[in-house]
Amino acid sequence: MGEHPVVQAGDPVLRRRASEVPAQEITADATGELIQRMWATLAEVPGVGLAAPQIGESRRVIVVQDLAKYHETISVDRMIERERTTIEPYVLINPEISPVGDAMRTFFEGCLSIKGYVAAVDRHHEVDLSFVDPAGQVHCRRIRGWHARILQHEVDHLDGCLYVDRMDPRTFCAQEEFPMYGAMSVDEAIRKLAGPATE
Ligand code: ZN
């Protein structure tokens, strides 16, 4: 275990609704220190997103990044299928998301707080996002694809929800047991894991 452990499922902090950061605390030193600890943790793991409850702080703060170096071992087909692109590191304070339309996408995802496992999870294809940055500026954006998936996963953490609450339970698997989940198409991986539909 590294210097910055990630809280694992079973700790009640992951099941609480995290509290908003009050306006007057957004630019405060304590918030800056929390954000620094979150980046240090994410760099150590590494990962594409982290919510403050995952380091034991029940605050509505998220950090997100999807660096080009994470994509080196992923084929172009899988990148396109997932609509995954580079995301420059950024901080979201008091983020809010709402789905755009009814379109959903199903892919495998994991969680730093449920180490070693993944499962197929339905997520909205596109979301409207608003958040405050560490300087106190409000931002509104429309986000789609893999970035929208990361945001839905991380905002769920702020509401005490984990991906296992939303997954297709027949696709839940240990990465060690089924390392190919990321290399094949999502339909193929689900068929391999869950077998033919029983209906
Ligand atoms: Zn997670």
Side-chain angles (χ1 to χ4, degrees):
M1 186 160 288
E3 216 179 313
H4 298 88
V6 177
V7 170
Q8 294 299 297
D11 188 318
V13 72
L14 294 176
R15 290 309 194 173
R16 275 205 289 275
R17 188 180 190 281
S19 57
E20 303 260 330
V21 180
Q24 68 275 16
E25 288 178 26
I26 285 170
T27 56
D29 289 349
T31 303
E33 282 157 22
L34 168 64
I35 292 164
Q36 284 314 312
R37 268 205 292 143
M38 291 174 72
W39 283 128
T41 305
L42 199 58
E44 198 172 279
V45 183
V48 295
L50 190 76
Q54 293 181 279
I55 60 165
E57 295 286 340
S58 198
R59 285 281 176 175
R60 300 187 83 77
V61 180
I62 289 170
V63 296
V64 169
Q65 63 179 4
D66 199 359
L67 306 177
K69 67 178 178 189
Y70 297 163
H71 305 157
E72 282 164 7
T73 57
I74 306 173
S75 76
V76 173
D77 284 354
R78 298 288 86 85
M79 291 291 290
I80 291 170
E81 184 190 41
R82 287 161 176 69
E83 296 178 82
R84 185 167 174 179
T85 52
T86 301
I87 305 168
E88 294 304 322
Y90 72 114
V91 179
L92 302 86
I93 299 171
N94 300 335
E96 285 181 37
I97 52 174
S98 55
V100 178
D102 297 326
M104 304 294 286
R105 292 289 184 274
T106 305
F107 288 109
F108 282 82
E109 63 181 63
C111 178
L112 300 174
S113 295
I114 306 173
K115 252 189 285 186
Y117 293 87
V118 293
V121 184
D122 281 352
R123 298 285 187 187
H124 296 284
H125 180 226
E126 195 165 41
V127 297
D128 277 334
L129 165 71
S130 69
F131 66 97
V132 184
D133 71 20
Q137 288 288 115
V138 178
H139 301 264
C140 297
R141 292 180 195 162
R142 182 161 287 188
I143 309 276
R144 59 162 57 197
W146 200 256
H147 190 171
R149 171 172 298 269
I150 296 169
L151 293 174
Q152 290 167 81
H153 179 113
E154 300 305 337
V155 171
D156 269 355
H157 274 302
L158 304 183
D159 294 331
C161 177
L162 299 172
Y163 82 83
V164 291
D165 305 342
R166 302 188 186 277
M167 69 181 179
D168 171 354
R170 284 175 64 83
T171 65
F172 184 68
C173 64
Q175 284 168 284
E176 207 174 49
E177 194 64 41
F178 187 48
M180 294 306 290
Y181 75 91
M184 50 181 68
S185 80
V186 66
D187 291 341
E188 198 183 349
I190 290 172
R191 265 201 310 278
K192 272 211 175 355
L193 278 168
T198 47
E199 296 160 84

